[in-house]
Amino acid sequence: MTLDLFDGEGVEPRRETIAEGAVVLRGFAGKAGPGLLAAIDLVASQSPFRHMQTPGGHTMSAAMTCCGELGWVTDRRGYRYEPRDPVTGQAWPRMPELFLKLASEAAAEAGFENFVPDACLINRYQPGAKMGLHQDRDEQDFSQPIVSVSLGLPIVFQFGGPRRSDRPVRVPLGHGDVVVWGGLARRHYHGVLTLKAGDHPLTGACRYNLTFRKAG
DNA sequence: AAGTAACT
DNA sequence: TGCG
């Protein structure tokens, strides 16, 4: 068993509380960056990144794909989880073991033991892409946390409260940072500001985000 | 609905 | 901030 895949294993990770029930593990996934990016490429070779439509007919600025038993999709019919990729008609690619291990260990570091996600949404942000404030509320089990992994270019994360009108805190996130939220914070609004242009040694001009959930 | 626009 |  490898003991040093992730920062914070065997030592105290740099942990920041951004709200009650929400923490950032600084750099936790940084060492695994190359392996995580290779796994993203493998997933995307089977289920390509695509720009989905919101129910209102707008095109999302972040390109998305999924892996795991369930994938999050949106189109004019609404938001939901699907066992198959609508683009390929096939099951979503299986969740890489490295993803499962990262999600589980990050959740444990944040106080959520035995987290076993069945869905991983992979978002790719290029300059100009953003994600407006929203709640994750399409899952069956709100007792399980959300684990969100940042790779590549930095971005500003917003974490608000249970109402959209609650003013969010702004948290700069960099490569390898992992945000975990659950409990009371599980339904809180969150999003990211517009990605600014840049160049990252591992990802070039983009940022990837892995969002792990227990959806079913 | 994870969207934009139009204000202050 | 309010929108629908």
Side-chain angles (χ1 to χ4, degrees):
Chain A
M1 170 134 147
T2 306
L3 293 177
D4 62 350
L5 257 185
F6 309 118
D7 239 16
E9 284 187 335
V11 297
E12 198 61 20
R14 284 177 294 158
R15 197 188 306 252
E16 294 174 19
T17 298
I18 61 175
E20 185 169 327
V23 300
V24 183
L25 306 173
R26 290 292 179 192
F28 188 80
K31 278 194 279 193
L36 293 168
L37 290 163
I40 291 170
D41 283 346
L42 179 60
V43 168
S45 74
Q46 301 166 255
S47 276
F49 282 101
R50 80 293 306 261
H51 291 272
M52 295 195 279
Q53 303 287 123
T54 65
H58 295 106
T59 300
M60 296 187 72
S61 58
M64 301 177 169
T65 187
C66 301
C67 61
E69 292 174 30
L70 294 168
W72 185 84
V73 300
T74 173
D75 57 24
R76 286 176 201 80
R77 289 159 37 210
Y79 301 149
R80 63 198 176 277
Y81 283 92
E82 292 280 359
R84 287 177 173 272
D85 179 350
V87 168
T88 65
Q90 301 302 124
W92 296 102
R94 70 182 310 107
M95 182 106 59
E97 288 298 323
L98 181 60
F99 281 19
L100 281 171
K101 186 169 166 64
L102 168 58
S104 167
E105 294 187 11
E109 287 289 348
F112 297 93
E113 302 292 338
N114 306 117
F115 177 53
V116 184
D118 57 13
C120 175
L121 174 63
I122 306 173
N123 292 157
R124 185 188 65 201
Y125 295 82
Q126 287 169 316
K130 61 186 181 298
M131 184 72 70
L133 282 179
H134 66 279
Q135 295 171 299
D136 287 18
R137 55 178 196 185
D138 305 312
E139 299 76 27
Q140 295 288 145
D141 186 355
F142 293 103
S143 76
Q144 294 303 302
I146 304 288
V147 174
S148 175
V149 179
S150 291
L151 296 169
L153 291 179
I155 206 163
V156 178
F157 179 61
Q158 298 194 98
F159 196 84
R163 296 168 304 178
R164 188 189 285 278
S165 56
D166 295 329
R167 180 210 281 244
V169 293
R170 278 139 95 115
V171 183
L173 295 179
H175 181 256
D177 291 347
V178 179
V179 187
V180 181
W181 65 99
L184 292 174
R186 174 62 178 73
R187 311 170 97 112
H188 285 196
Y189 279 85
H190 56 281
V192 293
L193 301 185
T194 304
L195 185 75
K196 293 195 251 190
D199 184 60
H200 188 277
L202 289 181
T203 66
C206 72
R207 168 184 185 260
Y208 293 97
N209 177 74
L210 309 175
T211 305
F212 296 97
R213 307 181 180 97
K214 179 77 177 80

PDB file of all heavy atoms in Angstrom, chain A residues 155-180:
ATOM      1  N   ILE A 155      -8.180  29.367  -9.468  1.00  0.00           N
ATOM      2  CA  ILE A 155      -9.484  30.009  -9.679  1.00  0.00           C
ATOM      3  C   ILE A 155      -9.998  30.463  -8.319  1.00  0.00           C
ATOM      4  O   ILE A 155      -9.493  30.030  -7.282  1.00  0.00           O
ATOM      5  CB  ILE A 155     -10.467  29.017 -10.351  1.00  0.00           C
ATOM      6  CG1 ILE A 155     -11.558  29.752 -11.149  1.00  0.00           C
ATOM      7  CG2 ILE A 155     -11.061  28.069  -9.310  1.00  0.00           C
ATOM      8  CD1 ILE A 155     -12.292  28.878 -12.148  1.00  0.00           C
ATOM      9  N   VAL A 156     -11.000  31.336  -8.321  1.00  0.00           N
ATOM     10  CA  VAL A 156     -11.613  31.763  -7.061  1.00  0.00           C
ATOM     11  C   VAL A 156     -12.927  30.994  -6.868  1.00  0.00           C
ATOM     12  O   VAL A 156     -13.839  31.100  -7.695  1.00  0.00           O
ATOM     13  CB  VAL A 156     -11.873  33.283  -7.023  1.00  0.00           C
ATOM     14  CG1 VAL A 156     -12.565  33.667  -5.711  1.00  0.00           C
ATOM     15  CG2 VAL A 156     -10.564  34.057  -7.179  1.00  0.00           C
ATOM     16  N   PHE A 157     -12.967  30.227  -5.787  1.00  0.00           N
ATOM     17  CA  PHE A 157     -14.158  29.446  -5.400  1.00  0.00           C
ATOM     18  C   PHE A 157     -15.023  30.329  -4.522  1.00  0.00           C
ATOM     19  O   PHE A 157     -14.525  31.134  -3.739  1.00  0.00           O
ATOM     20  CB  PHE A 157     -13.675  28.229  -4.618  1.00  0.00           C
ATOM     21  CG  PHE A 157     -14.744  27.292  -4.102  1.00  0.00           C
ATOM     22  CD1 PHE A 157     -15.600  26.628  -4.964  1.00  0.00           C
ATOM     23  CD2 PHE A 157     -14.852  27.050  -2.738  1.00  0.00           C
ATOM     24  CE1 PHE A 157     -16.560  25.732  -4.481  1.00  0.00           C
ATOM     25  CE2 PHE A 157     -15.801  26.156  -2.246  1.00  0.00           C
ATOM     26  CZ  PHE A 157     -16.658  25.500  -3.121  1.00  0.00           C
ATOM     27  N   GLN A 158     -16.331  30.207  -4.684  1.00  0.00           N
ATOM     28  CA  GLN A 158     -17.277  30.921  -3.820  1.00  0.00           C
ATOM     29  C   GLN A 158     -18.070  29.889  -3.023  1.00  0.00           C
ATOM     30  O   GLN A 158     -18.616  28.946  -3.622  1.00  0.00           O
ATOM     31  CB  GLN A 158     -18.244  31.751  -4.646  1.00  0.00           C
ATOM     32  CG  GLN A 158     -17.610  32.848  -5.477  1.00  0.00           C
ATOM     33  CD  GLN A 158     -18.675  33.814  -5.974  1.00  0.00           C
ATOM     34  OE1 GLN A 158     -18.886  34.864  -5.401  1.00  0.00           O
ATOM     35  NE2 GLN A 158     -19.370  33.419  -7.026  1.00  0.00           N
ATOM     36  N   PHE A 159     -18.153  30.105  -1.724  1.00  0.00           N
ATOM     37  CA  PHE A 159     -18.936  29.201  -0.880  1.00  0.00           C
ATOM     38  C   PHE A 159     -19.904  30.019  -0.042  1.00  0.00           C
ATOM     39  O   PHE A 159     -19.494  30.833   0.792  1.00  0.00           O
ATOM     40  CB  PHE A 159     -18.027  28.344  -0.001  1.00  0.00           C
ATOM     41  CG  PHE A 159     -18.752  27.166   0.593  1.00  0.00           C
ATOM     42  CD1 PHE A 159     -18.893  25.997  -0.132  1.00  0.00           C
ATOM     43  CD2 PHE A 159     -19.338  27.245   1.844  1.00  0.00           C
ATOM     44  CE1 PHE A 159     -19.594  24.911   0.389  1.00  0.00           C
ATOM     45  CE2 PHE A 159     -20.039  26.170   2.375  1.00  0.00           C
ATOM     46  CZ  PHE A 159     -20.166  24.994   1.643  1.00  0.00           C
ATOM     47  N   GLY A 160     -21.187  29.829  -0.285  1.00  0.00           N
ATOM     48  CA  GLY A 160     -22.227  30.626   0.363  1.00  0.00           C
ATOM     49  C   GLY A 160     -22.989  29.847   1.408  1.00  0.00           C
ATOM     50  O   GLY A 160     -22.455  28.958   2.074  1.00  0.00           O
ATOM     51  N   GLY A 161     -24.242  30.179   1.544  1.00  0.00           N
ATOM     52  CA  GLY A 161     -25.093  29.565   2.552  1.00  0.00           C
ATOM     53  C   GLY A 161     -26.244  28.813   1.920  1.00  0.00           C
ATOM     54  O   GLY A 161     -26.212  28.494   0.728  1.00  0.00           O
ATOM     55  N   PRO A 162     -27.273  28.515   2.699  1.00  0.00           N
ATOM     56  CA  PRO A 162     -28.402  27.732   2.196  1.00  0.00           C
ATOM     57  C   PRO A 162     -29.326  28.509   1.248  1.00  0.00           C
ATOM     58  O   PRO A 162     -30.133  27.891   0.567  1.00  0.00           O
ATOM     59  CB  PRO A 162     -29.144  27.309   3.460  1.00  0.00           C
ATOM     60  CG  PRO A 162     -28.748  28.307   4.501  1.00  0.00           C
ATOM     61  CD  PRO A 162     -27.357  28.752   4.150  1.00  0.00           C
ATOM     62  N   ARG A 163     -29.187  29.806   1.210  1.00  0.00           N
ATOM     63  CA  ARG A 163     -29.982  30.606   0.273  1.00  0.00           C
ATOM     64  C   ARG A 163     -29.070  31.298  -0.717  1.00  0.00           C
ATOM     65  O   ARG A 163     -27.988  31.749  -0.367  1.00  0.00           O
ATOM     66  CB  ARG A 163     -30.808  31.657   1.036  1.00  0.00           C
ATOM     67  CG  ARG A 163     -31.839  31.068   1.968  1.00  0.00           C
ATOM     68  CD  ARG A 163     -32.391  32.137   2.896  1.00  0.00           C
ATOM     69  NE  ARG A 163     -31.310  32.795   3.631  1.00  0.00           N
ATOM     70  CZ  ARG A 163     -31.502  33.791   4.484  1.00  0.00           C
ATOM     71  NH1 ARG A 163     -32.700  34.269   4.691  1.00  0.00           N
ATOM     72  NH2 ARG A 163     -30.464  34.326   5.103  1.00  0.00           N
ATOM     73  N   ARG A 164     -29.543  31.421  -1.939  1.00  0.00           N
ATOM     74  CA  ARG A 164     -28.725  32.066  -2.965  1.00  0.00           C
ATOM     75  C   ARG A 164     -28.335  33.477  -2.552  1.00  0.00           C
ATOM     76  O   ARG A 164     -27.269  33.988  -2.936  1.00  0.00           O
ATOM     77  CB  ARG A 164     -29.471  32.102  -4.302  1.00  0.00           C
ATOM     78  CG  ARG A 164     -28.617  32.578  -5.451  1.00  0.00           C
ATOM     79  CD  ARG A 164     -29.462  32.793  -6.696  1.00  0.00           C
ATOM     80  NE  ARG A 164     -29.839  31.547  -7.341  1.00  0.00           N
ATOM     81  CZ  ARG A 164     -29.054  30.870  -8.168  1.00  0.00           C
ATOM     82  NH1 ARG A 164     -27.842  31.318  -8.420  1.00  0.00           N
ATOM     83  NH2 ARG A 164     -29.459  29.770  -8.729  1.00  0.00           N
ATOM     84  N   SER A 165     -29.199  34.109  -1.771  1.00  0.00           N
ATOM     85  CA  SER A 165     -28.941  35.497  -1.380  1.00  0.00           C
ATOM     86  C   SER A 165     -27.867  35.616  -0.300  1.00  0.00           C
ATOM     87  O   SER A 165     -27.417  36.720   0.000  1.00  0.00           O
ATOM     88  CB  SER A 165     -30.237  36.144  -0.897  1.00  0.00           C
ATOM     89  OG  SER A 165     -30.796  35.389   0.166  1.00  0.00           O
ATOM     90  N   ASP A 166     -27.456  34.485   0.311  1.00  0.00           N
ATOM     91  CA  ASP A 166     -26.396  34.536   1.315  1.00  0.00           C
ATOM     92  C   ASP A 166     -25.069  34.882   0.643  1.00  0.00           C
ATOM     93  O   ASP A 166     -24.673  34.219  -0.322  1.00  0.00           O
ATOM     94  CB  ASP A 166     -26.263  33.183   2.028  1.00  0.00           C
ATOM     95  CG  ASP A 166     -27.502  32.831   2.848  1.00  0.00           C
ATOM     96  OD1 ASP A 166     -28.161  33.771   3.343  1.00  0.00           O
ATOM     97  OD2 ASP A 166     -27.815  31.638   2.975  1.00  0.00           O
ATOM     98  N   ARG A 167     -24.413  35.892   1.150  1.00  0.00           N
ATOM     99  CA  ARG A 167     -23.176  36.321   0.504  1.00  0.00           C
ATOM    100  C   ARG A 167     -22.072  35.267   0.671  1.00  0.00           C
ATOM    101  O   ARG A 167     -21.724  34.892   1.792  1.00  0.00           O
ATOM    102  CB  ARG A 167     -22.694  37.648   1.095  1.00  0.00           C
ATOM    103  CG  ARG A 167     -21.400  38.117   0.443  1.00  0.00           C
ATOM    104  CD  ARG A 167     -20.561  38.929   1.402  1.00  0.00           C
ATOM    105  NE  ARG A 167     -21.063  40.281   1.511  1.00  0.00           N
ATOM    106  CZ  ARG A 167     -20.374  41.348   1.130  1.00  0.00           C
ATOM    107  NH1 ARG A 167     -19.166  41.194   0.621  1.00  0.00           N
ATOM    108  NH2 ARG A 167     -20.864  42.550   1.285  1.00  0.00           N
ATOM    109  N   PRO A 168     -21.520  34.807  -0.460  1.00  0.00           N
ATOM    110  CA  PRO A 168     -20.483  33.768  -0.355  1.00  0.00           C
ATOM    111  C   PRO A 168     -19.133  34.322   0.085  1.00  0.00           C
ATOM    112  O   PRO A 168     -18.832  35.496  -0.131  1.00  0.00           O
ATOM    113  CB  PRO A 168     -20.395  33.214  -1.775  1.00  0.00           C
ATOM    114  CG  PRO A 168     -20.903  34.298  -2.652  1.00  0.00           C
ATOM    115  CD  PRO A 168     -21.841  35.143  -1.843  1.00  0.00           C
ATOM    116  N   VAL A 169     -18.329  33.456   0.707  1.00  0.00           N
ATOM    117  CA  VAL A 169     -16.928  33.777   0.935  1.00  0.00           C
ATOM    118  C   VAL A 169     -16.165  33.382  -0.322  1.00  0.00           C
ATOM    119  O   VAL A 169     -16.558  32.457  -1.035  1.00  0.00           O
ATOM    120  CB  VAL A 169     -16.349  33.034   2.162  1.00  0.00           C
ATOM    121  CG1 VAL A 169     -16.982  33.509   3.437  1.00  0.00           C
ATOM    122  CG2 VAL A 169     -16.492  31.532   2.018  1.00  0.00           C
ATOM    123  N   ARG A 170     -15.099  34.107  -0.598  1.00  0.00           N
ATOM    124  CA  ARG A 170     -14.294  33.824  -1.783  1.00  0.00           C
ATOM    125  C   ARG A 170     -12.986  33.182  -1.354  1.00  0.00           C
ATOM    126  O   ARG A 170     -12.282  33.718  -0.509  1.00  0.00           O
ATOM    127  CB  ARG A 170     -14.057  35.118  -2.563  1.00  0.00           C
ATOM    128  CG  ARG A 170     -15.257  35.465  -3.448  1.00  0.00           C
ATOM    129  CD  ARG A 170     -15.593  36.945  -3.454  1.00  0.00           C
ATOM    130  NE  ARG A 170     -14.990  37.651  -4.564  1.00  0.00           N
ATOM    131  CZ  ARG A 170     -15.681  38.233  -5.568  1.00  0.00           C
ATOM    132  NH1 ARG A 170     -17.016  38.148  -5.604  1.00  0.00           N
ATOM    133  NH2 ARG A 170     -15.065  38.886  -6.504  1.00  0.00           N
ATOM    134  N   VAL A 171     -12.679  32.041  -1.939  1.00  0.00           N
ATOM    135  CA  VAL A 171     -11.510  31.246  -1.547  1.00  0.00           C
ATOM    136  C   VAL A 171     -10.667  30.936  -2.775  1.00  0.00           C
ATOM    137  O   VAL A 171     -11.098  30.191  -3.651  1.00  0.00           O
ATOM    138  CB  VAL A 171     -11.958  29.912  -0.903  1.00  0.00           C
ATOM    139  CG1 VAL A 171     -10.756  29.119  -0.416  1.00  0.00           C
ATOM    140  CG2 VAL A 171     -12.950  30.149   0.224  1.00  0.00           C
ATOM    141  N   PRO A 172      -9.474  31.503  -2.866  1.00  0.00           N
ATOM    142  CA  PRO A 172      -8.609  31.146  -4.002  1.00  0.00           C
ATOM    143  C   PRO A 172      -8.178  29.681  -3.886  1.00  0.00           C
ATOM    144  O   PRO A 172      -7.785  29.225  -2.812  1.00  0.00           O
ATOM    145  CB  PRO A 172      -7.393  32.078  -3.832  1.00  0.00           C
ATOM    146  CG  PRO A 172      -7.827  33.148  -2.884  1.00  0.00           C
ATOM    147  CD  PRO A 172      -8.853  32.515  -1.994  1.00  0.00           C
ATOM    148  N   LEU A 173      -8.301  28.963  -4.994  1.00  0.00           N
ATOM    149  CA  LEU A 173      -7.908  27.543  -5.019  1.00  0.00           C
ATOM    150  C   LEU A 173      -6.827  27.330  -6.060  1.00  0.00           C
ATOM    151  O   LEU A 173      -6.901  27.886  -7.161  1.00  0.00           O
ATOM    152  CB  LEU A 173      -9.106  26.661  -5.368  1.00  0.00           C
ATOM    153  CG  LEU A 173     -10.267  26.622  -4.382  1.00  0.00           C
ATOM    154  CD1 LEU A 173     -11.361  25.712  -4.915  1.00  0.00           C
ATOM    155  CD2 LEU A 173      -9.803  26.185  -3.003  1.00  0.00           C
ATOM    156  N   GLY A 174      -5.849  26.513  -5.718  1.00  0.00           N
ATOM    157  CA  GLY A 174      -4.763  26.202  -6.644  1.00  0.00           C
ATOM    158  C   GLY A 174      -4.652  24.707  -6.905  1.00  0.00           C
ATOM    159  O   GLY A 174      -5.445  23.901  -6.392  1.00  0.00           O
ATOM    160  N   HIS A 175      -3.650  24.350  -7.678  1.00  0.00           N
ATOM    161  CA  HIS A 175      -3.437  22.965  -8.080  1.00  0.00           C
ATOM    162  C   HIS A 175      -3.283  22.056  -6.857  1.00  0.00           C
ATOM    163  O   HIS A 175      -2.442  22.302  -5.996  1.00  0.00           O
ATOM    164  CB  HIS A 175      -2.175  22.878  -8.946  1.00  0.00           C
ATOM    165  CG  HIS A 175      -1.882  21.503  -9.434  1.00  0.00           C
ATOM    166  ND1 HIS A 175      -0.885  20.728  -8.892  1.00  0.00           N
ATOM    167  CD2 HIS A 175      -2.466  20.760 -10.391  1.00  0.00           C
ATOM    168  CE1 HIS A 175      -0.861  19.555  -9.520  1.00  0.00           C
ATOM    169  NE2 HIS A 175      -1.807  19.564 -10.433  1.00  0.00           N
ATOM    170  N   GLY A 176      -4.095  21.023  -6.818  1.00  0.00           N
ATOM    171  CA  GLY A 176      -4.003  20.042  -5.726  1.00  0.00           C
ATOM    172  C   GLY A 176      -4.869  20.340  -4.524  1.00  0.00           C
ATOM    173  O   GLY A 176      -4.983  19.498  -3.627  1.00  0.00           O
ATOM    174  N   ASP A 177      -5.460  21.513  -4.480  1.00  0.00           N
ATOM    175  CA  ASP A 177      -6.340  21.819  -3.347  1.00  0.00           C
ATOM    176  C   ASP A 177      -7.622  20.987  -3.434  1.00  0.00           C
ATOM    177  O   ASP A 177      -8.172  20.780  -4.515  1.00  0.00           O
ATOM    178  CB  ASP A 177      -6.716  23.310  -3.325  1.00  0.00           C
ATOM    179  CG  ASP A 177      -5.535  24.210  -2.981  1.00  0.00           C
ATOM    180  OD1 ASP A 177      -4.499  23.691  -2.520  1.00  0.00           O
ATOM    181  OD2 ASP A 177      -5.649  25.437  -3.178  1.00  0.00           O
ATOM    182  N   VAL A 178      -8.072  20.516  -2.274  1.00  0.00           N
ATOM    183  CA  VAL A 178      -9.291  19.718  -2.213  1.00  0.00           C
ATOM    184  C   VAL A 178     -10.256  20.368  -1.221  1.00  0.00           C
ATOM    185  O   VAL A 178      -9.876  20.647  -0.087  1.00  0.00           O
ATOM    186  CB  VAL A 178      -8.992  18.267  -1.774  1.00  0.00           C
ATOM    187  CG1 VAL A 178     -10.291  17.452  -1.685  1.00  0.00           C
ATOM    188  CG2 VAL A 178      -8.011  17.600  -2.736  1.00  0.00           C
ATOM    189  N   VAL A 179     -11.473  20.630  -1.672  1.00  0.00           N
ATOM    190  CA  VAL A 179     -12.506  21.168  -0.792  1.00  0.00           C
ATOM    191  C   VAL A 179     -13.486  20.049  -0.462  1.00  0.00           C
ATOM    192  O   VAL A 179     -13.902  19.301  -1.361  1.00  0.00           O
ATOM    193  CB  VAL A 179     -13.267  22.347  -1.431  1.00  0.00           C
ATOM    194  CG1 VAL A 179     -14.210  22.992  -0.423  1.00  0.00           C
ATOM    195  CG2 VAL A 179     -12.299  23.392  -1.989  1.00  0.00           C
ATOM    196  N   VAL A 180     -13.803  19.922   0.821  1.00  0.00           N
ATOM    197  CA  VAL A 180     -14.764  18.916   1.274  1.00  0.00           C
ATOM    198  C   VAL A 180     -15.845  19.619   2.074  1.00  0.00           C
ATOM    199  O   VAL A 180     -15.524  20.399   2.975  1.00  0.00           O
ATOM    200  CB  VAL A 180     -14.098  17.854   2.180  1.00  0.00           C
ATOM    201  CG1 VAL A 180     -15.113  16.793   2.615  1.00  0.00           C
ATOM    202  CG2 VAL A 180     -12.909  17.194   1.476  1.00  0.00           C
TER     203      VAL A 180
END
